[in-house]
Every structure is written in C-alpha cells, then in structure tokens.
Amino acid sequence: MLYVTSFLITSDILNHFLLSNMTPIYDFYKEQVAFLTGATGGLGGCLLYKLCIVLDIQRLYVLIRGSESAALERWKYTMPQQYRHIEDRIRVGKVVLVPGDMTKERFGITTETLCKIEEEVTIIIHAAANISFRAPLQKVVLDNCLPALRLAAWATKMTQLQHFVQVSSAYANSFLPDGSVGEKIYYLSNPDDAEGELEEILRTGTTMHLQRFPWAYAYSKQLMERLMISRFPNLPILLLRPTSIGPAIAQPYEMYGPQGSCPISTLYSRLMQPTGGKSIWYAPAHGGNILDEIPVDIVANVLLQHVHAGTRGVVHASSSYYIPKTLEWILERPSKYLPAHWAARMAKPVFVQDTRVEQSKEAEFYRIGSRAWEFCAPSSRRLGSLNGPLTFGLNDHDIDRFAELRVRSIFNETFGEGRLMQKAGGIGQRALASARL
C-alpha cells in the first residue's frame, strides 16, 4: 500500500517568517562563499552541482580527500554530462578544490588556504561522513564526531560566517520507540553526559548506550549532535536530519546516486540475488509501516532552502516532502519489475509477528524496516514554493515509473551490462541512459 501525505505545516518551535521579505534565493546564493565537505559522495555531489551550477554561487571551496585528479575522475564518472560545467567553474576559480583530510590536524589544509577560508566563507556545509552500517563504534566516532566538532571550533574563527550546516541522520534517534520523532535534540540520560560518553568510547571503544541503536553509525550521529549543541551554543547551526537517502528524481539527473549512497538500492541488489526461499521480516503491521526514504535532490533542496530562510536548530528531511512508502510496497518492487523467470528465483518477502522467528539476513541488517517512526517536519512552514530546480513540487513525477526504472537500473548494474562496464572503468549504463544537465 502506498501513502501520499501533504506537508506538516504547524510548529510551536519556529517563529513565523515572512517569505515576501526574503531576498530571492538565486540572488542570495550568488553573494555567498561556501565551504563544502563530502562532495565526492552522493548528497555532497548533488550539493556541489546545485551550488555551483544551479545557484551559481560566488565561490565554493570544496574539501577533497586525496588528489584533485581522483576527485575529478569521480565526478566525471558520477555526473558525466554535468562534469564539464563543474570543470569550467574550477577553471575560472568559482570552485576551488582544497586537498585535505577531516581527520587530520588543521584538516591537512595549507595555512594560506585556511586564512582565505576564514576571511571569506559565509556558509559551511559539512556533508562528509562514514555511512557504513558495519563500521565499529570507535571508527565512526573518529570519523563522524571528532571532525565535525573540530570544524565547528574552526567555524568560530570565521569572520563572515552566517550559516553552519551539519548533516546528521534521522536515525540518530533510532533508539526512540515507534511514533512521532520531533525536530529537537533528544537525550539518552538525565543528566546528559555526552562528554563522558565520548571519553569512554575513546578509552574503551564502546559504551552501554550502543545496544540501544541498530548500528554504531546511528549512535555516532546522535552523540555528535549533543556534543555540538552543548559546545557551540552561539554558532549559527542548522542540523539537517535526512531519513534514508534515495536516488534523485531530477537533478543532477534522474537516478543519480553513486553506488553505496542509497541504502534501499543496496537492499534491492541483495534481494535480487537468486537464492530462492523466503526473506523473513518481523513486521507487527504486516509491512504496512512506513520505511522512510527521500530522494537525494529533495534533501539538497531542503538544506539549501533552509539556509536561505535562516533556519537554526534541527530540521528533518523526510518523506513528508515526497511520497511515503510502506515496507511492503518497497519489498515488492523487485519481483514486480524484473523478468518473471528471474523473480521466481529470488527470495519471497514474508512478514511475521512472532519475534521468536529468525529473520533473514537482510531484515536483521536493515532493522529499521520493521519500525514505525514518523519523522515530523514542521520546519517546512519556513520554506517557500519555488519553480525551477529548487521546487518541492513533484509535478508529473510518476512513482511507479520511477520505481521500475530504479529496479531495472540496479538489476542491470548488478547482473547485466552495467556491471561489466563498471569493471572496465567505463560510465555506468544508468548514467549513459539518464544523465543530462
């Protein structure tokens, strides 16, 4: 069953904002200088495209880990038709590549570049993260907590800074029971001891709170949020919490989403394996719960519009901006759109209500699939309705056609010609078929 809901437009937290008095968003960004991390990832790459091409930002500093040539090759592969426009902006100095490493002292950035960034940057967007669901706690804390806190500390020295955007995750609060999840900071204990938790993790590699979360990744984001808010109360922080990020519906092109950046796409590739049998899922609502996913380009739009609106605090980017889909609907897509002879060889999803029944490996790994959270987004009232590339309107978007294209693209990349092309170092079939400016 598929649910379609409208925006949540009430909020007791945020003040009214008069959109009519706002500087038009395109003019706003043309005057900004931004510093972006994570630009070779899925969301970061989409933000790179929107900031430098769609919004024509004055200047964009892009932190890259490794060589410039490696970053350029990455964008050439993930955004083949858009790449030349990014390259043009690098050539004229509107995009400045900054070799560095978030885990190193002073981020591995040269003193000269550090000074320029401190003097010029008006917006920081920290989208870099270790998004592995398998990584151990100490590793994801070193990757997701400490660099974010060091970046926030550096941001306090920036003389022109107006906005500090930290990308978190809606599943930072996956320790909560099913039900509504608000746009606020949640605490694990009273009184809160985030600093003590961090010290314990760095010393021992674990903490008693870890067992309350499906993955160490989720806990690392939750800890980061509490530490950032407590350490930097005067920083103009916007904490963006996306739910599961899916492929783009439009930009940079339909189906954009680098391999590994869309969890449900990865789930699909696992479900497509010709293993036969059953895929057992514990689902009290018989699969009728919402498994929240939002396209990456809508996440980018939510972020960019909230920066323009001057929003502070926590903001959700959830399927309330898109089309909420049930677990049952999501799991049915591969068998619905793949050839019958192949679908017959795949494991069939089966829902159980008895917790004693052993789940499939997929269900154990994607434990959030059996949960029923509602990630409320009352902050949406601050956002205007725009035409063009930053609109939230879905216009003629056909979810069934989109789902079919997604399934067939994943199948082709996993088992077909696309896989062979990837091994050969060529451009993926999906990019060839769908890429466009």
Side-chain angles (χ1 to χ4, degrees):
M1 185 176 183
L2 186 64
Y3 294 96
V4 181
T5 61
S6 60
F7 292 168
L8 298 170
I9 59 172
T10 61
S11 173
D12 295 325
I13 302 173
L14 298 174
N15 295 324
H16 288 285
F17 197 89
L18 300 178
L19 294 172
S20 59
N21 293 332
M22 295 171 65
T23 303
I25 192 167
Y26 296 95
D27 292 341
F28 169 82
Y29 276 102
K30 285 181 180 179
E31 299 174 357
Q32 305 303 316
V33 177
F35 177 75
L36 173 66
T37 73
T40 55
L43 176 59
C46 186
L47 286 167
L48 168 68
Y49 168 79
K50 285 181 177 284
L51 284 166
C52 74
I53 297 177
V54 176
L55 295 171
D56 194 25
I57 195 168
Q58 180 184 144
R59 183 172 295 108
L60 179 63
Y61 289 97
V62 180
L63 185 71
I64 55 170
R65 188 172 182 173
S67 67
E68 293 186 12
S69 60
L72 293 171
E73 283 300 311
R74 172 70 169 171
W75 295 322
K76 190 174 183 179
Y77 177 76
T78 59
M79 295 183 281
Q81 298 301 318
Q82 295 75 19
Y83 169 76
R84 58 189 174 89
H85 300 280
I86 296 171
E87 194 175 38
D88 287 344
R89 283 157 175 78
I90 293 173
R91 188 177 300 110
V92 300
K94 298 199 71 170
V95 172
V96 180
L97 302 185
V98 181
D101 187 333
M102 290 295 298
T103 65
K104 292 183 177 180
E105 183 74 20
R106 293 161 57 93
F107 309 109
I109 301 174
T110 66
T111 300
E112 180 182 1
T113 303
L114 280 171
C115 291
K116 287 183 178 179
I117 292 172
E118 288 178 5
E119 294 171 357
E120 297 179 15
V121 164
T122 60
I123 302 169
I124 290 177
I125 302 176
H126 182 35
N130 181 342
I131 62 174
S132 170
F133 292 165
R134 297 186 183 277
L137 178 60
Q138 194 169 53
K139 172 63 175 173
V140 287
V141 166
L142 290 174
D143 290 344
N144 294 338
C145 284
L146 300 189
L149 296 172
R150 285 196 291 266
L151 183 58
W154 182 31
T156 62
K157 302 177 183 179
M158 297 183 184
T159 58
Q160 304 297 320
L161 188 70
Q162 301 170 26
H163 311 273
F164 182 96
V165 184
Q166 171 64 54
V167 178
S168 183
S169 168
Y171 299 108
N173 293 310
S174 53
F175 70 97
L176 293 174
D178 292 355
S180 297
V181 180
E183 292 181 316
K184 64 179 183 179
I185 300 295
Y186 287 89
Y187 297 92
L188 302 182
S189 60
N190 186 18
D192 180 59
D193 188 25
E195 296 290 351
E197 291 170 43
L198 177 61
E199 188 279 330
E200 180 186 17
I201 293 165
L202 296 178
R203 178 170 48 85
T204 70
T206 190
T207 172
M208 65 178 181
H209 296 294
L210 179 59
Q211 61 186 349
R212 302 170 65 182
F213 293 82
W215 320 288
Y217 160 78
Y219 173 72
S220 74
K221 288 291 192 177
Q222 214 279 340
L223 178 61
M224 177 275 296
E225 288 188 3
R226 288 182 286 132
L227 288 166
M228 183 169 288
I229 293 299
S230 64
R231 288 188 184 184
F232 306 100
N234 298 320
L235 203 62
I237 297 174
L238 170 63
L239 275 169
L240 182 81
R241 289 184 189 148
T243 56
S244 182
I245 295 179
I249 62 172
Q251 290 188 332
Y253 53 87
E254 188 176 45
M255 287 295 134
Y256 164 85
Q259 188 174 23
S261 66
C262 302
I264 291 178
S265 293
T266 303
L267 170 61
Y268 278 166
S269 67
R270 295 178 66 168
L271 292 175
M272 289 174 187
Q273 299 294 329
T275 58
K278 298 178 180 180
S279 178
I280 307 297
W281 291 73
Y282 172 69
H286 301 274
N289 57 297
I290 300 299
L291 179 50
D292 206 291
E293 185 185 46
I294 178 171
V296 63
D297 49 346
I298 298 183
V299 177
N301 288 352
V302 172
L303 186 158
L304 294 168
Q305 288 211 44
H306 273 295
V307 168
H308 176 225
T311 305
R312 301 286 181 264
V314 178
V315 164
H316 283 156
S318 67
S319 61
S320 61
Y321 287 99
Y322 181 52
I323 303 173
K325 302 180 289 290
T326 66
L327 173 63
E328 179 183 27
W329 189 92
I330 287 173
L331 294 183
E332 286 178 345
R333 294 312 98 183
S335 60
K336 180 178 177 65
Y337 296 124
L338 292 182
H341 73 277
W342 190 277
R345 299 165 61 195
M346 292 161 42
K348 181 181 179 181
V350 175
F351 302 114
V352 300
Q353 288 73 50
D354 188 347
T355 57
R356 294 171 297 180
V357 177
E358 184 178 358
Q359 295 192 97
S360 65
K361 292 181 180 179
E362 293 81 16
E364 280 294 326
F365 189 68
Y366 293 92
R367 280 177 278 173
I368 61 171
S370 298
R371 304 299 298 275
W373 293 293
E374 179 190 0
F375 297 102
C376 304
S379 60
S380 62
R381 70 178 300 171
R382 297 178 72 92
L383 306 181
S385 177
L386 297 179
N387 295 319
L390 290 181
T391 183
F392 287 140
L394 298 178
N395 300 321
D396 297 326
H397 177 65
D398 183 335
I399 183 62
D400 292 313
R401 185 202 65 82
F402 184 77
E404 180 177 3
L405 177 60
R406 179 183 191 179
V407 166
R408 293 184 182 277
S409 297
I410 294 169
F411 179 77
N412 184 58
E413 290 184 356
T414 307
F415 302 101
E417 294 179 3
R419 185 180 183 184
L420 297 176
M421 294 179 71
Q422 286 181 355
K423 287 184 176 181
I427 298 172
Q429 185 73 17
R430 178 176 61 189
L432 280 173
S434 304
R436 59 181 180 275
L437 179 64

